[in-house]
Amino acid sequence: MSFIPRLSYSAQLLPYSNPTSSLQPIGVFTSSQGAAEEHAQQRLETWRSQLCSSQDDKSGLLLLLLDFRKEYRGWNIQHDYRATCSGLIGRSWAMVFAAGGFKVKLYDIAQQQLTSALENIRKQMKELEASGFLKGSLSAEKQLALISICTDLKTAVEGAAFIQECTPENLELKKKIFGQLDLIVGDNVILSSSTSCLLPSKLFTGLKHVKQCIVSHPVNPPYFVPLVEIVPHPETDPSTIERTYALMKKIGQSPVKLNREIEGFVLNRLQYAVISEAWRLVGEGIISPTDLDLVMSDGLGMRYAFIGPLETMHLNAEGISNYCERYREGMKLVLNTFGPVPEFSGETEQKISQAMSEKIPVVPKHLNARREWRDECLTGLAKLKKQMSSN
């Protein structure tokens, strides 16, 4: 199975219930990273150059238009989503929305990027269908028929109501993109970013449509990992949060709402806490890198695939209060022994790098094969979780 880029779960295609009402399109919007990783930096420099030196609307962005109609919670919408397709994140968004019956239009300044994206999506959908893991109720061919391409930004954005940006993690680039979008979108459009670490206040402050701005951070690969962190700007309107949340639920994601922005959001704060202690334990010679990973994959990870740390506490005693009564002193004792934040360099980096490279050589062939294996595992786990939740 090929690597599936970032996206989520399926949604059912529903009939448009009121053809006489006024419709507002919705969209997901992003930029393209290039089909091959080795071209990523070159593409980034191209975008930066174009965005900084030209007023041309063709700003290196790729988007998807999804045409799907339904009256939802009193909000008549024509789902017109825009997202990256030549980059991993955008392709995955495209696949998820198409699985939900949305008509998708991809935008980029480079025709070849769009062509490559479509070829990549076709290959992945066909493989998923053959293995029985294609999302949605439509066949691969019907989903693929929903996807087309566009090379004009104004045409692509016209009428959209939800725009999802998926460019690389570069603040300057993203601010330029949202600055351009701010000039051409209407007052009902949601401007959303896929950023994993940039605070909304750094991305959106100063935009006239700041109340319509939000972060919708997916998890890699989102086609099988459905979590989306919804993070508001301090000035984001509550309706923007609720509409984004409802939209992500609609396409089968598992959205969570943060009440305010914080560095790293929630997922990466938890992830970095684990990585930090893992790094210290290996660096202090307590355990080998490979055994450290086993502690998670064959230990904590087995539980965390189905329940979180708080529910784990709840079930490991007679409720949270009983857990705290039993273990609070032990937890505090252990936590007080944690060391400072590691530098993530030097001897420990070399030690971990050597161990990981012995297991998975740092060459495309081996890395891609392991990623494919990872995604096959996630596919099976997603199917199992779905079966269990329906029982």
Side-chain angles (χ1 to χ4, degrees):
M1 179 199 293
S2 296
F3 173 65
I4 305 298
R6 306 183 10 127
L7 241 164
S8 108
Y9 280 10
S10 65
Q12 296 298 313
L13 182 61
L14 301 175
Y16 174 47
S17 60
N18 186 0
T20 63
S21 63
S22 175
L23 294 177
Q24 281 190 330
I26 283 198
V28 180
F29 175 99
T30 72
S31 89
S32 122
Q33 210 170 334
E37 286 298 323
E38 59 265 28
H39 295 151
Q41 186 60 37
Q42 179 181 351
R43 294 281 293 165
L44 176 58
E45 294 304 322
T46 300
W47 295 332
R48 182 183 292 116
S49 174
Q50 290 169 330
L51 286 167
C52 294
S53 64
S54 171
Q55 296 301 312
D56 195 314
D57 288 323
K58 296 178 181 178
S59 52
L61 306 179
L62 173 75
L63 58 228
L64 335 146
L65 301 198
L66 315 152
D67 185 6
F68 173 73
R69 298 174 177 182
K70 179 180 186 295
E71 188 170 313
Y72 187 68
R73 294 177 64 179
W75 182 32
N76 280 336
I77 52 178
Q78 173 187 348
H79 298 261
D80 182 3
Y81 291 90
R82 326 238 150 151
T84 303
C85 222
S86 51
L88 295 180
I89 300 173
R91 290 203 302 269
S92 198
W93 280 117
M95 291 171 63
V96 163
F97 287 123
F102 295 95
K103 185 177 180 182
V104 180
K105 184 176 291 183
L106 311 177
Y107 168 83
D108 197 298
I109 58 172
Q111 181 72 33
Q112 182 55 45
Q113 294 302 123
L114 295 172
T115 302
S116 297
L118 288 173
E119 291 173 352
N120 181 279
I121 290 172
R122 174 178 291 277
K123 181 174 184 291
Q124 292 174 32
M125 283 188 176
K126 289 293 188 181
E127 291 175 345
L128 286 166
E129 185 173 50
S131 62
F133 291 116
L134 183 71
K135 299 183 183 300
S137 59
L138 301 177
S139 68
E141 282 300 324
K142 288 183 178 179
Q143 291 185 30
L144 288 165
L146 295 171
I147 304 175
S148 59
I149 59 177
C150 177
T151 56
D152 181 78
L153 180 59
K154 282 187 175 179
T155 299
V157 173
E158 183 179 358
F162 187 95
I163 294 176
Q164 181 78 19
E165 170 272 329
C166 300
T167 59
E169 289 292 294
N170 179 280
L171 180 60
E172 176 191 2
L173 175 65
K174 289 181 184 290
K175 288 182 69 173
K176 287 286 184 179
I177 290 168
F178 283 108
Q180 286 194 348
L181 291 171
D182 195 38
L183 297 175
I184 59 177
V185 300
D187 293 337
N188 293 319
V189 179
I190 294 176
L191 298 177
S192 177
S193 175
S194 296
T195 181
S196 61
C197 64
L198 298 174
L199 293 177
S201 58
K202 293 182 178 180
L203 286 175
F204 308 131
T205 296
L207 297 180
K208 65 179 181 179
H209 293 103
V210 65
K211 292 184 178 181
Q212 301 156 221
C213 294
I214 200 162
V215 164
S216 302
H217 170 223
V219 184
N220 190 19
Y223 196 84
F224 301 116
V225 184
L227 183 76
V228 177
E229 294 181 290
I230 297 176
V231 190
H233 182 279
E235 298 179 60
T236 297
D237 190 276
S239 67
T240 299
I241 301 172
E242 295 306 319
R243 289 169 65 190
T244 303
Y245 182 88
L247 173 61
M248 293 302 165
K249 292 284 285 187
K250 171 116 189 71
I251 62 173
Q253 294 280 43
S254 298
V256 295
K257 292 182 280 191
L258 275 64
N259 295 321
R260 60 181 176 86
E261 64 177 26
I262 185 171
E263 293 285 354
F265 312 146
V266 172
L267 182 139
N268 277 329
R269 290 181 74 88
L270 292 174
Q271 178 174 234
Y272 294 162
V274 172
I275 290 174
S276 180
E277 183 57 16
W279 199 272
R280 286 190 291 260
L281 289 168
V282 171
E284 294 173 7
I286 304 298
I287 193 170
S288 71
T290 51
D291 281 354
L292 185 287
D293 274 359
L294 273 176
V295 171
M296 182 61 71
S297 64
D298 286 9
L300 291 175
M302 297 286 284
R303 292 191 298 218
Y304 290 169
F306 299 94
I307 60 175
L310 301 182
E311 186 176 347
T312 296
M313 294 169 65
H314 195 65
L315 297 180
N316 280 359
E318 303 307 312
I320 288 291
S321 295
N322 183 254
Y323 187 96
C324 291
E325 181 182 347
R326 292 186 188 183
Y327 302 117
R328 70 163 57 91
E329 295 304 321
M331 287 192 292
K332 291 192 295 182
L333 178 65
V334 171
L335 289 169
N336 283 328
T337 67
F338 282 20
V341 175
E343 292 296 327
F344 300 107
S345 61
E347 183 179 343
T348 303
E349 178 189 0
Q350 295 173 9
K351 183 178 182 179
I352 295 175
S353 178
Q354 179 179 349
M356 293 299 100
S357 296
E358 288 175 358
K359 181 177 182 180
I360 311 160
V362 187
V363 293
K365 177 182 177 180
H366 293 284
L367 289 172
N368 289 335
R370 188 63 171 178
R371 289 174 185 135
E372 290 177 5
W373 172 84
R374 175 201 65 185
D375 292 343
E376 289 172 356
C377 292
L378 288 170
T379 301
L381 179 60
K383 185 174 182 179
L384 174 62
K385 294 185 71 171
K386 184 176 181 179
Q387 290 173 343
M388 293 179 67
S389 65
S390 63
N391 291 337

